[in-house]
Amino acid sequence: MSKLESELQRLYCLPGRAWSGTKSESENPQIDLITATGLVRCFVISIKNGAAWPQIATLYQGIQDEFELPAPAISISVEEGYQIWFSLAEPVTLQAAQNFMEGLCRKYLAETKTAKLKCRPGITDDLKSVPKVPAREKASDRWSAYIDPTMGSMFIEESWLEMTPSLDKQAGMLTGLKSIRPEDFDRVSSALQSQLETETIPPAKKAETVQQSPAKTILSTSGGFSNPRSFLLAVMNDPTANAEHRIQAAIALLPFFANDAEK
């Protein structure tokens, strides 16, 4: 097994699934993404839109800065455009992986047209696997390849390579990558779900929440007062004052009226 194949297996192949390799340069092998029991340990977001690179770069940096996740791999392809590869240390359910991808797309790729986005794995057969990278595209001499994220803007017009990439350099781009730990996946999944719930609260519900929030207590009593007793009387008799303030004013006035009664 070559160094590149070893890295591909470490990051993206299903547990217990050995990398099959390729028999010839013309083959375009697929990496299976779903186990027989419906578990996933690799998912890929593809954006067939070079102009979306700024958003892709924001996603790439955001998941590291905002969520403290390890950097994903980024590749280019004639058919797929830009691809962002996520590796999990432990498999999760297909639904959990899809929710995670949808949350990231909603947060970072909202301005990208849905038709340009493709999230793998999905429920259809064509989305249950992903073409291996690097590989030569069918009926052309163009190659897919992993790229240095800092060079991503160079492929806005042409998301491919015109020559065979160095397999050692491709392996080198994957060597330093790490898989997402289970606790980090759960943490970010919860954060993305919370954001979705906040965004989808109906307007009426939001208004109800505001109405139930503690109101600021503002005294409308105005004017000057010659002594504290006059002020407290004004508060107690002010119908626009907060009820709590009026009661407190009445309690504070009790000693004054008790003294008057004794006289």
Side-chain angles (χ1 to χ4, degrees):
M1 180 182 293
S2 69
K3 183 178 179 181
L4 175 59
E5 291 171 340
S6 177
E7 290 300 324
L8 290 172
Q9 179 161 329
R10 177 180 70 87
L11 292 169
Y12 307 127
C13 288
L14 295 171
R17 188 78 58 86
W19 176 253
S20 59
T22 60
K23 295 180 180 180
S24 69
E25 201 177 75
S26 61
E27 287 187 356
N28 289 287
Q30 303 281 317
I31 298 177
D32 293 328
L33 299 175
I34 310 176
T35 68
T37 55
L39 296 180
V40 174
R41 64 116 7 163
C42 165
F43 50 90
V44 182
I45 300 176
S46 302
I47 306 93
K48 194 174 178 61
N49 181 3
W53 172 250
Q55 295 178 64
I56 298 168
T58 299
L59 185 160
Y60 175 82
Q61 200 61 46
I63 62 173
Q64 297 175 70
D65 295 343
E66 296 183 53
F67 294 125
E68 299 182 338
L69 292 178
I74 296 181
S75 66
I76 52 172
S77 163
V78 173
E79 296 296 330
E80 303 291 334
Y82 290 101
Q83 293 178 292
I84 305 175
W85 297 67
F86 295 88
S87 171
L88 303 179
E90 293 184 10
V92 299
T93 64
L94 173 60
Q95 187 61 60
Q98 289 179 323
N99 290 344
F100 195 96
M101 288 186 286
E102 290 172 4
L104 292 180
C105 289
R106 187 170 53 248
K107 182 175 180 63
Y108 296 108
L109 304 175
E111 296 180 10
T112 302
K113 294 182 179 179
T114 304
K116 298 289 186 179
L117 285 172
K118 185 180 293 183
C119 294
R120 290 188 173 93
I123 58 175
T124 58
D125 290 340
D126 62 313
L127 295 178
K128 292 182 179 179
S129 62
V130 62
K132 174 242 182 182
V133 174
R136 190 174 70 178
E137 303 288 345
K138 294 179 179 179
S140 77
D141 290 326
R142 296 169 177 172
W143 283 77
S144 63
Y146 292 103
I147 64 171
D148 181 338
T150 63
M151 309 290 283
S153 60
M154 294 178 59
F155 301 95
I156 290 178
E157 298 296 331
E158 298 179 348
S159 59
W160 61 80
L161 296 183
E162 295 285 1
M163 59 184 69
T164 308
S166 166
L167 299 186
D168 286 340
K169 289 184 178 179
Q170 289 288 286
M173 291 183 182
L174 301 179
T175 300
L177 300 183
K178 298 180 180 180
S179 300
I180 300 173
R181 299 179 302 176
E183 58 269 30
D184 290 331
F185 180 86
D186 293 340
R187 171 177 56 80
V188 176
S189 294
S190 297
L192 293 172
Q193 180 61 31
S194 296
Q195 179 181 347
L196 172 62
E197 292 173 353
T198 300
E199 293 174 351
T200 56
I201 296 177
K205 187 66 176 178
K206 288 184 179 180
E208 179 182 337
T209 302
V210 172
Q211 292 174 0
Q212 292 177 351
S213 300
K216 292 183 178 180
T217 55
I218 301 175
L219 287 174
S220 62
T221 301
S222 59
F225 301 94
S226 59
N227 56 65
R229 179 175 178 178
S230 299
F231 172 74
L232 290 173
L233 282 170
V235 173
M236 185 183 71
N237 294 304
D238 186 354
T240 65
N242 182 277
E244 183 179 356
H245 286 160
R246 297 180 68 184
I247 293 173
Q248 290 177 347
I251 293 174
L253 285 168
L254 284 175
F256 292 103
F257 287 92
N259 292 336
D260 290 345
E262 290 176 358
K263 293 177 183 179

